[in-house]
Structures are given as C-alpha cells and as structure tokens.
C-alpha cells in the first residue's frame, strides 16, 4: 500500500481528497475559510487532473441547487462551504436529503453572524443537524482527508443514500499545515468504486418524476423512510470505517476513546479540541488525576447507545460544546449526550413518538391508546419502545 | 530533540512570516519529524505586524491551540523590536533570533533583555546581496538551524535545493542565490 | 401505477414517481363547477381550444375535435374563451345541472 507523508493544511487535504475522488460535478461558491478548498480544486480542473465539471455559482443556495440537479441527473457530486454559506444552503439541504441524494460536502466550521466572525465554532454545522445529512467531524487534516474518502462510500451505501457533510475546524485545521499520510490515487479510487445512481433522471428509458408533491397521504411515510436511512447509516459508517482500516491502516468508528477505561473524569467533544484535550489528559494523569477523553466523530446519526455504553462507568463527565443551542439548556452535544446517558437511569419512563408529519391527523383515540398502553406496559412490567412513530403506515 | 519545540515568527504583512513557517515545517518533515505550521489569522494588511507559528516533534502532534510559550522566537523585521513584545512567553533559557545588523549585545542593551539567548544576523543585507531582494526568511532559516540545531543543516540545504530547482527551473541564478544566502546566514549568525 | 401503498417500506426511494404518465390517474374532473359543451355543428376545427386547454382535455380524432375528457377537464373555460367569437362552439354550463 502506497502511503506518502506530506505537509498539508486541512483545506489542502480536503482538496486532495476531492481530486482523488474525481467527482463528476462540483458546484460551489467561495466563503472563508472554505474558499481554498475550491480554489485549489479549480486548479486541478484547469490542469486537467480531474474529469469534473466545475460549476461556479452566484450563491451557496445556487451551489446546492446545482449540486442537487447534477446528482438527480446521475452525477457523483460534491461541494464545499462554511458558516453563512451553509446557512444560505439551508432550504436546499432538506431537499437533498428528502430526495435521498448521496451528495458530499466538505464543510469548514465557522461561527455564524452576528457579529461577523471568520473563526471556528460548530454553530454552522449544528444548524444543519436536523436536515437529514450525515455529519462527521474531523480532529485534524488527516481525519478530514480520511473522512472525505469514507464519506463517498457511506453516502452511496445502498441502505443509506443520504447526503453527507465532513467537517473540519476553520483556521485551526483548515489553514494549519500538518504532516499527513495520503494514499495513492489508484487505491482511493478502488476504495470508493464507481457511482451507480439508483434512478438517474437522465435515463430516458426509465422516466421518473423527482420532487413531486406529497400531501397528508404519503409525506409521513416518505419521512419515515428517510429516518430509517439515517438509522441504517450507523451500520454503514462502521462497515466503511472497518474496511478503510484494513485497507489504509486507520480504522474509524463513531467515536475515539482516549484513556477512558479507568477514567474518573472524562471530557467529551467534537473536532480539533480532541487533540488538545489528549495532551491535557496526559498532563492531568501526570498530576494524579485519572482523566480520559471521548471524541465524538459522528454527530448524525447520533450514536446515542454506543456513547452511553462507553461512558457508563465514568462518574464525572464534562461535555465541551463549541456551539450554543440558545435553548437555555446548554449546547447540542450536551443535550443529546445527556438524553442518551439518562435513558436507563431516570426514575421516569420517558418515551417518544413522532407523529403528524406533513399534516397527518392525530386523533383522540390514538392518544388514549398510546397513553393507556404505556400505563399497562408499566403495570405489567413490560418494556415499551422508547422511540417510535405514531400514525405512520408501517 | 525529544520534546515538542514551539516557534513563533514575527514579521510584517507581506514579508513572508507564514512562508517561513511553512518552509521550516516542510524541511522538518523532510527529516521525518511531525510538524505544524500556521499563521495567526486576522485582517491581513500589508505592513501590519503578523505572527506565524511552528510545532516540531518526534511524536505526532495533537495540540490545536495557539502557541503562547514558544522556546524560540524569530524576528524577521528589526523595526518590530520595541513596538511588539517579541519576547512574550519565552522561558528564561529561550532563544530569540533577530534579523538586524546590530550585535546581540547591542540589542540586549537597547531592549534591556534579561536572560534568554540572543542571536542576530543581517538576513536582509545577505538577501539583498545574494538574492537581490529583501527577502529575509530564506537566510533566517540557515541562521535558525545554526543556533537551534533543530535540523540537519546539510540535509536541509539539499532539500531546499530540490524544491528550488523544481520551482525555478529556468532561473538557475535564483537557486544559487537562495542557497548561498542560507549558507552565509548559517556562517554569519552572531551570538553573545 | 402502484395503488394504495400501505407501508413506508414499499415507497420508491426519495419520493420519486417511477412511472411516466401518472398525471392521468389524477382525476381533476371533479374540481369542475362549469362544464364545457362542444357543438360540432358550429365548430370549424381551428383547434385553438386544443392548444389552450391546460389539462389536455380536448380529445381529437383525425384532426377534429371529437369530445372533451370530463375526467380531467376542470372547467376553467379557457376553451370557450379562445373559441373564435364568430364561432362560439363551446358553451360553459352549470355542472350542477348534470349531477
Ligand atoms: S374548460 Fe378548461 S379544462 Fe375544460 S376543456 Fe375547456 S380549457 Fe380544458
Ligand atoms: S376553438 Fe372552437 S372552433 Fe376551434 S376547434 Fe375549438 S371548439 Fe372548434
């Protein structure tokens, strides 16, 4: 296996991965600190190193729209953005997911305005967390590169077919040069394989309608299928991470645990701070404090059970959030991890039913039935699904 | 050199502090070390004081925070001394290398520096003579290696030659000028 | 077209409609409050109604207006409006009269 150690910034590493992936179409609009990804990639296009059709658009909304169009037509499509750019794509993010398009995005984490700020936080990515995109965070340039390559396989996995964003921390990683190992073009291409679109719109022998209207009759069912795809992504992420490990040496999962086994206190975080945190953990251990760290790599789908299980025996946990949910309840990672960890511990049984999507009616009888079944399950000592759907045609 | 080495570069916008950090990182990578090179980001204005940073280690580098306590500081522009606190965060035995025609003793005297190892080299003068332009970052690399033993000088020179040859295929005089500038600075850097 | 899909598991991925011509199955005829009555005695077969009908509800045979597809005609009256004033071969009448 041919590995080459090179010096690359996060942006250069992502551009390198996109060159090796050699997508059919790339549509993008520049924004700091992600601009360089496309700037570098554009030179690859100009130099004929890739076969990509590069579509420079007039806004990020257009970039995502063009990317969706290309992917619908049957092209393997990528884009890159950051912060306000991702925010401007917001409307189209949901469409890419709803249409089940395995689009791939290199996202450079940057704070949202106001006030204007070009530096790193995760607020931009968190804004897209409920849009139906898989979200993978990277600690450093190496992971940004590795994650982008794996992203192709995860997104295009036949059980998944969802768009994916691989994020890296603005400036801290995007503009910092580090030594990373890159793999040969041939090996990367073998690993990602060729894209076989499920139903390309340009196949005139099998005409299809894309983006049609769904009223109360089918919307909920389509969203239920979308939720299932996100759930399926968990297996795909592990499968692809393992295969990546056997091929390139570094295996990837939902998280990385660092000195966690005997930890009395553990920090949990996303992105580049995990690296700094590992040094802090080592220093603390020298001082006699048994510290550990859990780096969450995959935020969507949220690996709730796995994280809760891994942290089960750690008495003190500190969640570091590089974004504020402005919900008066702390940051998003904290809220979700807390929910995951207390599922089994709480004195209460709290269940969740998703209902009424797309206007699906909810009837008085259904509510009665739901609550009474919960009560009788509790009385009979029977278990009841914690998460489920109410009113969807199973 | 088992420990993690942190370096801070001081320059002015447009002077190549970031480039110098990248060059050093690249050279260190050439010797199999783990590296980081990153600038301090802000609005970029020509002439404004800027900083860039390096981390070099035998071990993989995980830190992703700012460098606040470097053991080595390199000052690319002598006019910064006095207006920017170039010794900030340096330990007692830290190294400061300044691009100036003055002697280390004169600089120490003028800035009333206590402790530290002070080195000077007239990198601008050398660059003007050998390269024909005031590009101090290349000769500063030579001086830095002399005073810190960070890298193997001969290997670094070879590595630089290869890269310059690639970049300036049609301008052999640029290659020779750059290499001579590095060597001259390596020889001429002054200690106390 | 697949009728009455009962489970979300059976839906085509991404909400696509994987067959052509499915608009035929969507009966817009019951939206109608006015019904176009075509008079073939008066009609000069200029086909203006056929061109303008937004629902392709004017049925031709051998290049002549044969009938109106009442399963899809939603009674907008465009055909009657576009029919040349001197001809007036389409008249809009109350749908209620036929119920
Ligand atoms: S009334 Fe409207 S829909 Fe009906 S046939 Fe005339 S033009 Fe077509
Ligand atoms: S527009 Fe009037 S005259 Fe012309 S084809 Fe239609 S009904 Fe006949």
């Amino acid at each position: 296996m041919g590995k080459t150690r090179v010096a690359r910034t996060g942006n250069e590493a992502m551009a390198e991965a996109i060159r090796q992936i050699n997508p059919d179409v790339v549509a993008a609009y520049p924004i700091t600190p992600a601009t360089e990804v496309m700037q570098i990639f554009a030179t690859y296009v100009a130099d004929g190193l890739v076969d990509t059709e590069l579509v420079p658009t007039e806004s990020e909304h257009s970039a995502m729209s063009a990317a969706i169009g290309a992917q619908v037509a049957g092209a393997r499509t990528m884009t890159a953005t950051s912060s306000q750019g991702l925010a401007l794509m917001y409307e189209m993010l949901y469409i890419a997911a709803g249409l089940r398009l395995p689009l791939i995005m290199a996202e450079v984490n940057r704070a949202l305005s106001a006030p204007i700020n070009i530096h790193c936080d995760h607020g931009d990515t968190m804004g897209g967390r409920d849009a139906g995109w898989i979200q993978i965070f990277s600690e450093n340039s190496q992971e940004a590169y590795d994650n982008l390559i794996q992203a192709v396989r995860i997104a295009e996995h036949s059980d998944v077919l969802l768009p994916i964003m691989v994020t890296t921390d603005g400036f801290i990683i995007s503009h910092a040069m580090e030594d990373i190992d890159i793999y040969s073009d041939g090996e990367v291409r073998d690993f990602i394989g060729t894209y076989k679109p499920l139903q390309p719109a340009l196949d005139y022998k099998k005409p299809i309608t894309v983006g049609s209207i769904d009223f109360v009759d089918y919307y909920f069912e389509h969203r239920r299928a979308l939720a299932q795809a996100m759930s399926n992504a968990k297996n795909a992420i592990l499968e692809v991470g393992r295969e990546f490990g056997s091929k390139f040496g570094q295996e990837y999962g939902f998280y990385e645990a660092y000195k966690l086994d005997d930890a009395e206190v553990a920090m949990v975080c996303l992105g580049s701070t995990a690296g700094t945190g590992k040094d802090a953990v080592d220093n603390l251990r020298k001082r006699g404090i048994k510290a550990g760290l859990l780096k969450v790599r995959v935020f969507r789908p949220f690996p709730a059970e796995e994280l809760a299980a891994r942290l089960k025996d750690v008495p003190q946990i500190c969640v570091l959030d590089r974004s504020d949910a402005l919900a008066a309840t702390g940051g998003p990672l904290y809220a979700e991890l807390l929910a995951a960890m207390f599922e089994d511990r709480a004195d209460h049984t709290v269940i969740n039913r998703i209902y009424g999507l797309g206007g699906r009616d909810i009837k008085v009888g259904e509510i009665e039935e739901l609550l009474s079944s919960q009560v009788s399950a509790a009385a009979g000592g029977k278990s009841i699904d914690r998460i489920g759907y109410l009113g969807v045609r199973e | 050199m088992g420990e993690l080495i942190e370096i801070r570069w001081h320059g002015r916008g447009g002077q190549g502090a970031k480039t110098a950090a990248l060059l050093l990182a690249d050279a260190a990578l050439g010797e199999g070390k783990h590296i980081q090179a990153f600038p301090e980001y802000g609005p970029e204005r020509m002439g404004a004081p800027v900083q860039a940073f390096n981390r070099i280690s035998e071990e993989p580098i995980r830190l992703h925070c700012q460098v606040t306590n470097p053991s080595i500081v390199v000052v690319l522009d002598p006019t910064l001394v006095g207006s920017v606190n170039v010794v900030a965060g340096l330990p007692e035995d830290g190294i400061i290398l300044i691009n100036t025609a003055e002697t280390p003793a004169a600089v120490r005297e003028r800035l009333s520096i206590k402790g530290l190892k002070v080195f000077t080299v007239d990198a601008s003068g050398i660059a003007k003579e050998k390269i024909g332009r005031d590009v101090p970052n290349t000769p500063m690399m030579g001086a830095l290696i002399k005073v810190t033993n960070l890298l193997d000088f001969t290997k670094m020179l070879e590595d630089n030659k290869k890269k310059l040859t690639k970049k300036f295929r049609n301008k052999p005089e640029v290659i020779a000028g750059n290499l001579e500038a590095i060597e001259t600075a390596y020889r001429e850097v002054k200690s106390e | 077209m697949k009728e009455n899909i009962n489970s979300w598991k059976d839906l085509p991925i991404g909400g696509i409609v994987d067959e052509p011509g499915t608009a035929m199955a969507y009966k817009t005829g019951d939206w109608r409050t006015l019904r176009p009555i075509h008079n073939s005695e008066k009609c000069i077969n200029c086909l203006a109604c056929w061109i303008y009908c937004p629902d392709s509800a004017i049925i031709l045979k051998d290049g002549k207006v044969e009938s109106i597809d009442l399963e899809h005609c939603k009674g907008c009256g465009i055909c009657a409006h576009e029919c040349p004033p001197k001809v007036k071969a389409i008249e809009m009448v109350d749908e209620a009269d036929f119920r």
Side-chain angles (χ1 to χ4, degrees):
Chain A
M1 198 209 44
K3 265 191 201 178
T4 318
R5 168 95 19 121
V6 294
R8 291 281 186 278
T9 65
N11 281 346
E12 288 168 349
M14 297 246 229
E16 180 77 11
I18 302 174
R19 182 188 66 72
Q20 294 185 314
I21 292 165
N22 192 10
D24 301 312
V25 175
V26 163
Y29 184 83
I31 182 165
T32 301
T35 303
E36 265 182 352
V37 178
M38 278 306 133
Q39 192 178 322
I40 298 164
F41 184 71
T43 66
Y44 299 154
V45 175
D47 293 346
L49 301 181
V50 287
D51 312 307
T52 308
E53 182 71 35
L54 178 63
V55 189
T57 55
E58 75 281 14
S59 77
E60 286 86 354
H61 187 279
S62 305
M64 186 44 66
S65 303
I68 287 171
Q71 192 88 42
V72 162
R76 182 183 265 161
T77 307
M78 296 184 73
T79 187
T81 195
S82 197
S83 186
Q84 307 300 124
L86 182 62
L88 188 53
M89 287 180 177
Y90 185 71
E91 179 193 3
M92 306 312 295
L93 293 180
Y94 284 76
I95 294 174
L99 295 179
R100 305 286 300 281
L101 304 175
L103 266 169
I104 304 149
M105 180 195 293
E107 209 276 326
V108 183
N109 292 305
R110 166 185 153 183
L112 289 166
S113 301
I116 295 175
N117 179 298
I118 58 171
H119 291 279
C120 175
D121 77 32
H122 299 158
D124 52 354
T125 301
M126 288 303 164
R129 72 178 191 253
D130 297 342
W133 283 62
I134 296 166
Q135 296 185 319
I136 299 190
F137 283 76
S138 318
E139 177 183 324
N140 48 35
S141 295
Q142 182 74 58
E143 290 193 3
Y145 172 76
D146 290 354
N147 284 338
L148 213 43
I149 293 169
Q150 291 171 71
V152 181
R153 290 277 306 278
I154 297 166
E156 293 173 6
H157 195 289
S158 58
D159 294 341
V160 180
L161 295 170
L162 284 179
I164 186 165
M165 55 179 90
V166 168
T167 85
T168 184
D169 284 353
F171 290 109
I172 300 165
I173 301 302
S174 71
H175 284 63
M177 186 192 254
E178 297 184 308
D179 48 301
I180 73 166
D181 290 331
I182 58 167
Y183 321 116
S184 74
D185 291 2
E187 279 168 317
V188 172
R189 270 163 213 183
D190 282 352
F191 182 78
I192 62 170
T194 45
Y195 176 47
K196 290 178 209 75
L198 196 64
Q199 286 135 325
L202 289 188
D203 182 354
Y204 65 87
K205 289 189 193 125
K206 277 169 73 187
I208 57 167
T209 305
V210 177
S212 58
I213 196 166
D214 238 11
F215 284 123
V216 198
D217 47 1
Y218 282 111
Y219 183 86
F220 199 175
E221 280 68 31
H222 278 126
R223 299 305 286 189
R224 177 65 187 85
L226 179 62
Q228 190 61 44
M230 186 58 88
S231 189
N232 295 349
K234 286 179 73 175
N235 274 336
I237 288 164
L238 294 180
E239 188 184 314
V240 173
R242 264 194 304 272
E243 200 184 315
F244 188 87
S246 66
K247 178 136 190 171
F248 298 109
Q250 178 63 54
E251 189 174 320
Y252 285 88
F254 296 135
Y255 59 81
E256 182 196 342
Y258 183 73
K259 302 195 175 171
L260 207 54
D261 289 339
D262 63 341
E264 57 179 321
V265 58
M267 69 174 265
V268 181
C269 69
L270 297 158
S272 64
T273 304
T276 310
K278 288 173 196 165
D279 275 29
V281 163
D282 287 358
N283 293 344
L284 286 164
R285 283 192 173 254
K286 276 182 210 143
R287 284 167 46 193
I289 297 171
K290 281 190 198 151
L293 179 146
L294 188 136
K295 172 182 80 188
V296 179
R297 171 183 179 240
V298 178
F299 191 74
R300 282 290 179 271
F302 192 70
E305 277 170 43
E306 292 80 0
L307 295 178
R310 195 67 187 80
L311 289 166
K312 191 165 53 79
D313 299 323
V314 185
Q316 298 296 324
I317 296 166
C318 172
V319 181
L320 291 177
D321 261 297
R322 201 164 200 149
S323 64
D324 191 346
L326 303 177
T329 53
L333 182 58
Y334 173 72
E336 299 206 12
L337 189 69
L338 196 66
M341 298 211 52
F342 281 84
E343 186 187 332
D344 302 329
R345 301 189 190 185
D347 297 334
H348 311 273
T349 302
V350 185
I351 68 164
N352 182 217
R353 293 292 176 267
I354 313 276
Y355 80 97
L357 300 192
R360 181 67 45 86
D361 195 23
I362 179 160
K363 297 183 169 59
V364 65
E366 289 174 305
I367 299 172
E368 283 174 37
E369 164 66 24
L370 176 65
L371 267 55
S372 64
S373 69
Q374 187 175 357
V375 168
S376 56
K382 277 188 253 134
S383 74
I384 182 165
D385 284 346
R386 194 174 70 91
I387 296 169
Y389 292 82
L390 177 63
V392 76
R393 291 197 294 278
E394 287 293 344
Chain B
M1 199 197 85
E3 285 291 287
L4 171 75
I5 308 282
E6 295 184 312
I7 304 172
R8 183 173 68 222
W9 299 77
H10 287 277
R12 292 189 182 278
Q15 215 169 32
K18 178 185 167 189
T19 312
L22 295 181
L23 281 173
L24 179 67
D26 220 21
L29 179 73
E31 293 193 14
K33 298 188 195 306
H34 294 279
I35 53 106
Q36 277 184 356
F38 53 98
E40 157 212 57
Y41 274 93
E44 283 171 44
R45 293 152 300 171
M46 196 71 122
V50 295
Q51 299 176 16
F53 308 92
N54 279 118
R55 285 195 178 99
I56 299 175
S57 172
E58 301 292 340
E59 302 296 322
I61 304 167
R62 304 177 301 197
L63 282 174
H64 285 119
C65 50
Q66 295 296 312
V67 171
T68 44
N69 293 95
S71 55
I72 302 165
V73 163
V74 186
V75 183
L76 289 176
D77 189 318
T79 63
L80 287 170
V81 176
S83 66
V84 172
N85 184 8
V86 292
V87 297
L90 273 172
E92 269 290 286
D93 61 346
I95 289 174
I96 180 161
L97 168 64
I98 304 169
N99 167 24
T100 172
E102 283 184 272
T103 62
V107 174
R108 179 185 289 283
E109 163 89 40
R110 194 156 56 80
L111 294 178
S112 44
I113 295 175
K114 287 179 193 62
L116 303 182
K117 293 172 212 149
V118 184
F119 299 90
T120 62
V121 64
D122 184 13
S124 290
I126 294 170
K128 276 185 232 159
E129 189 195 324
K130 306 286 181 190
I131 308 172
R133 281 190 305 135
D134 184 0
V135 279
N137 54 17
T138 326
M140 282 304 260
M141 283 265 288
L144 177 65
I145 286 167
K146 176 68 172 285
V147 302
T148 59
N149 278 322
L150 267 176
L151 306 173
D152 182 305
F153 183 66
T154 332
K155 272 198 223 154
M156 187 277 274
L157 213 55
E158 273 305 305
D159 194 54
N160 248 292
K161 194 173 170 182
K162 255 189 263 159
K163 279 176 200 143
L164 289 166
T165 315
K166 234 191 205 165
K167 203 170 160 191
F168 298 105
R169 233 168 306 153
N170 308 317
K171 292 184 180 169
E173 70 283 0
V174 177
I175 305 167
N178 267 287
L179 295 176
E180 269 176 47
I182 297 173
E183 281 184 295
T184 311
Y186 183 83
R187 272 197 317 271
E188 291 185 359
V189 59
K190 294 191 237 22
S191 63
E192 285 173 286
Chain C
M1 198 175 92
K2 293 179 198 78
E3 291 284 348
N4 303 321
I5 293 170
N6 277 318
S7 168
W8 60 266
K9 299 174 195 99
D10 300 331
L11 292 175
I13 288 174
I16 62 158
V17 180
D18 56 2
E19 293 168 61
T22 49
M24 284 294 282
Y26 201 18
K27 313 283 189 222
T28 44
D30 52 13
W31 301 6
R32 199 171 53 241
T33 57
L34 293 173
R35 177 183 291 207
I37 303 293
H38 177 247
N39 184 337
S40 40
E41 306 278 297
K42 292 188 185 171
C43 175
I44 58 168
N45 289 303
C46 69
L47 303 193
C49 56
W50 177 75
I51 291 168
Y52 281 101
C53 172
D55 286 281
S56 307
I58 307 286
I59 312 293
L60 302 187
K61 194 182 177 196
D62 303 329
K64 291 180 176 160
V65 176
E66 188 199 40
S67 60
I68 292 171
D69 169 6
L70 291 176
E71 283 197 331
H72 295 95
C73 161
K74 39 179 202 255
C76 64
I78 291 174
C79 52
H81 184 80
E82 295 300 331
C83 185
K86 287 182 186 161
V87 182
K88 286 263 170 233
I90 297 178
E91 189 195 351
M92 302 303 292
V93 300
D94 237 336
E95 182 68 26
D97 297 349
F98 300 89
R99 296 273 160 102

